[in-house]
Amino acid sequence: MQYIASISYGKDSLAMLEVIKRHCLPLDRIVHVEIMATKDIPADLPPMMEFKKKADKIILDKYGIPVEHLTASHTYEEYFYYVCNGKKSRNRGKIYGFPLQKGNWCNSRLKVGVLDKVQKGAICYIGIAADEPRRFHALSETKRSPLVEFGWTEEMCRAWCESNDLLSPIYTTAARGGCWFCHNQSVEQLRLLCKNYPEYWALLLKWDADSPVSFKGNGHTVRDFDKRFSMEEQGIISKDKKFHWKDINKTPL
Ligand code: SF4
């Protein structure tokens, strides 16, 4: 029986490794699922990728186990352009495009499926904190949370990460945790992506033009956001004032 710790590089999963060590719990492997946007571009933004590199060194020094970075057989972009051939699907013959906001294909194909394969027949440790009862339903005999077992709260995890140089930039800057192309991200996060990573934004616009599914569940596209941000830049609309999409549609650029 193997014991596997699954980490996201968030404060809870990193502090979990310390709890495992302090309480001498068995541990054979530490794994992380690396989602890839394309073959060359990861789903995490560069500050997060840098942090992971640094954290990997600290983890190896502290616990003597290298973090295994696992990836799905296909990238986000490859699934995006996969042609749906489900007999009953109303999208038969069309590419997947952006995931639906509810029931998305990305999490299961790019992350959960990869973890399920590696965790088969193993005991898996996951970073659920002792004060997160809404997540306890994910725990079972084969999915354990050392943080819950030994009473570590989110605040304790954060404090431990801070004092061990293991606090991810998602807690200290406006950097987003999760994929930079995520359809669930906020307007502010999209604005930062557009401003700070124009090459990623251009790729998102290309996908947007090809997708049979709108980027946002309410029908808004990346092109809508692009127009909005461009109007903000030109001072035509203010990003501070209450925003209405109709203001954009009636104002030519
Ligand atoms: S962060 Fe967003 S895009 Fe990435 S797997 Fe999760 S839901 Fe999908």
Side-chain angles (χ1 to χ4, degrees), residues 4 107 166:
I4 302 176
N107 196 39
L166 278 174

Side-chain angles (χ1 to χ4, degrees), residues 35 43 76 99-101 104-108 110-111 176-185:
I35 297 180
Y76 177 86
L100 297 171
Q101 230 142 15
N104 58 47
W105 53 258
C106 48
N107 196 39
S108 53
L110 298 169
K111 191 169 179 186
R176 175 187 152 77
C179 309
W180 57 260
F181 43 79
C182 185
H183 50 288
N184 286 329
Q185 61 190 306

Side-chain angles (χ1 to χ4, degrees), residues 3-5 17 20-21 25-30 63 65 125:
Y3 288 80
I4 302 176
L17 298 177
I20 290 171
K21 183 184 174 190
L25 300 180
L27 178 63
D28 300 299
R29 298 168 68 185
I30 303 173
Y63 311 114
I65 300 178
Y125 298 126

Side-chain angles (χ1 to χ4, degrees), residues 22 28 35 41-42 63 81 93 119 131 136 187 205-206 209 216 243:
R22 285 193 195 175
D28 300 299
I35 297 180
I41 306 174
Y63 311 114
Y81 285 103
Q119 290 167 356
D131 54 349
F136 289 0
V187 177
L205 279 169
K206 177 189 172 307
K216 289 286 183 185
F243 172 79

